[in-house]
């Protein structure tokens, strides 16, 4: 399989977690994502900046009353990248399972037929 | 993880991605005050005709409609959701199409039943203050069990991994 199938940005487990979390949502508050993935605000901020630079995550800032809020949502580009990346991961698992099955079948062949 | 993950790493990553997606459903929650306001509103609207006569329905029905529309509008905006204490908004694609269809049919049947009931003659129930009792039961249920009922509905609404919603995946590790 070509390495290009894997998204280098999503090979990082933390970024994959963030993107997977956002994939089921229209939007999520920054604080909720931070709590869900168990990162500090600054660590999450760094990851969001990386994802944002690649166009995977859109950031919207605003106020609710006097309190500042940040909302995150997965862009269409990010969704497509996640889909491709997960399909590539799925292929690795399936190839490995198929190879294991072939290996096992060879092992189980009666000795007299060789 | 390297440029090409090993099968074990790939399986772990898929498992983690799946877990994160499931986590989204448990995020659907809101502040307690929302259930209290709606439960109390429902109780007041249902009980009002018992205390103020049948003309009270002139303001109870619009009040319920205003409450419902305001809630729906707030749910669909980020700031409104934040005010309700909802940190996330679930994508429609995550809801099972079968569940969505059943819900629409149930709502339409309830609407039709409500309209039909408005035109049918209502026999007087022998139980005094039955509207108050109904209001207390419905409002109380909403306040006490509202969140649990929502979570139960969401567990039915959850789209199966095999239903195909774009970023659904099956890696066969479960």
């Amino acid at each position: 399989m070509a390495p290009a199938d894997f998204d280098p940005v999503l090979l990082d487990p933390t970024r994959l977690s963030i993107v997977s979390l956002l994939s089921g949502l229209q939007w999520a508050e920054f604080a909720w994502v931070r709590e869900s993935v168990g990162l500090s605000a600054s660590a999450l901020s760094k990851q969001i900046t990386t994802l944002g630079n690649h166009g995977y995550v859109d950031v919207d800032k605003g106020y609710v009353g006097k309190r500042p809020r940040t909302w995150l949502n997965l862009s269409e580009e990010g969704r497509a990248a996640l889909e491709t990346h997960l399909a590539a991961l799925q292929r690795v698992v399936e190839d490995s399972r198929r190879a294991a099955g072939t290996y096992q079948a060879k092992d189980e062949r009666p000795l007299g037929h060789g | 993880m390297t440029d090409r993950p090993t099968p074990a790493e790939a399986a772990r990553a898929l498992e983690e991605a799946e877990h994160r997606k499931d986590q989204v459903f448990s995020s659907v929650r809101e502040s307690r005050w929302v259930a209290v306001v709606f439960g109390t509103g429902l109780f007041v609207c249902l009980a009002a005709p018992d205390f103020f006569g049948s003309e009270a329905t002139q303001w109870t029905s619009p009040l319920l409609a205003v409450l419902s529309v305001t809630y729906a509008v707030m749910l669909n905006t980020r700031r409104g959701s934040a005010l309700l204490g909802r940190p996330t908004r679930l994508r429609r694609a995550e809801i099972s199409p079968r569940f969505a269809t059943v819900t629409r049919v149930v709502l339409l049947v309830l609407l039709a039943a409500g309209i039909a009931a408005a035109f049918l003659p209502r026999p007087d129930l022998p139980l005094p203050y039955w509207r108050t009792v109904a209001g207390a039961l419905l409002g109380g249920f909403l306040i006490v069990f509202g969140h649990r009922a929502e979570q139960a509905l969401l567990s039915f609404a959850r789209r199966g991994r095999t239903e195909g919603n774009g970023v659904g995946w099956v890696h066969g590790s479960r």
Side-chain angles (χ1 to χ4, degrees):
Chain A
M1 190 191 297
D5 282 355
F6 294 102
D7 191 309
V9 178
L10 300 181
L11 278 171
D12 178 274
T14 309
R15 285 196 285 268
L16 180 65
S17 291
I18 296 167
V19 170
S20 304
L21 199 60
L22 292 175
S23 71
L25 297 166
Q26 279 183 36
W27 70 72
E29 283 186 21
F30 182 91
W32 179 82
V33 176
R34 179 176 54 79
E35 209 175 280
S36 300
V37 292
L39 289 176
S40 67
S42 61
L44 177 62
S45 195
K46 268 185 204 166
Q47 301 290 7
I48 294 298
T49 305
T50 308
L51 289 167
N53 288 341
H54 286 83
Y56 291 179
V57 171
D58 295 326
V59 180
D60 180 28
K61 292 187 179 199
Y63 282 86
V64 177
K66 285 181 180 173
R67 301 176 76 178
R69 300 275 172 125
T70 303
W71 291 276
L72 309 171
N73 68 281
L74 194 63
S75 66
E76 282 309 311
E77 205 177 336
R79 196 171 297 284
L82 176 65
E83 208 171 327
T84 311
H85 186 72
L86 291 174
L89 289 173
Q90 181 76 49
R91 276 201 299 278
V92 169
V93 174
E94 278 166 10
D95 287 350
S96 148
R97 196 167 293 142
R98 211 171 296 128
T102 314
Y103 186 73
Q104 202 175 355
K106 274 184 189 167
D107 266 7
E108 284 168 3
R109 206 178 292 162
L111 288 170
H113 291 275
Chain B
M1 208 182 274
T2 55
D3 281 354
R4 186 182 162 78
T6 63
E9 283 173 335
R12 244 194 330 271
L14 284 168
E15 191 79 45
E16 171 69 9
E18 203 168 316
H19 162 69
R20 293 298 177 191
K21 237 184 151 193
D22 287 342
Q23 204 176 347
V24 159
F25 281 85
S26 58
S27 77
V28 181
R29 58 183 157 86
E30 61 196 4
S31 297
R32 184 87 175 144
W33 69 263
V34 180
V36 173
V37 165
F38 270 87
T40 310
L42 198 62
F43 169 71
V44 168
C45 289
L46 282 173
D50 281 346
F51 297 95
F52 304 108
S54 57
E55 55 273 18
T57 50
Q58 284 175 350
W59 59 266
T60 54
S61 302
L63 179 66
L64 266 184
V66 166
L67 270 177
S68 307
V69 171
T70 308
Y71 181 66
V73 170
M74 285 176 87
L75 272 187
N76 279 293
T77 60
R78 295 173 186 210
R79 281 159 187 81
S81 282
L83 282 172
L84 292 172
R86 281 186 184 253
T88 60
R89 169 96 172 136
L90 207 61
R91 283 180 80 226
R92 281 203 185 153
E94 295 302 312
I95 304 291
S96 153
R98 195 178 306 151
F99 178 82
T101 310
V102 170
T103 309
R104 275 187 207 117
V105 169
V106 169
L107 284 176
L108 278 175
V109 167
L110 284 177
L111 194 67
I115 291 169
F119 291 103
L120 289 174
R122 276 165 281 182
D124 285 333
L125 288 179
L127 182 70
Y129 296 104
W130 68 270
R131 289 187 188 88
T132 308
V133 173
L137 286 175
L138 282 173
F141 178 85
L142 199 63
I143 293 170
V144 179
F145 300 110
H147 178 66
R148 264 175 270 180
E150 188 178 33
Q151 285 298 320
L153 274 177
L154 276 172
S155 67
F156 287 114
R158 196 175 296 207
R159 181 190 276 268
R161 290 282 176 247
T162 50
E163 284 185 67
N165 60 341
V167 283
W169 54 91
V170 182
H171 64 87
S173 64
R174 281 189 175 181

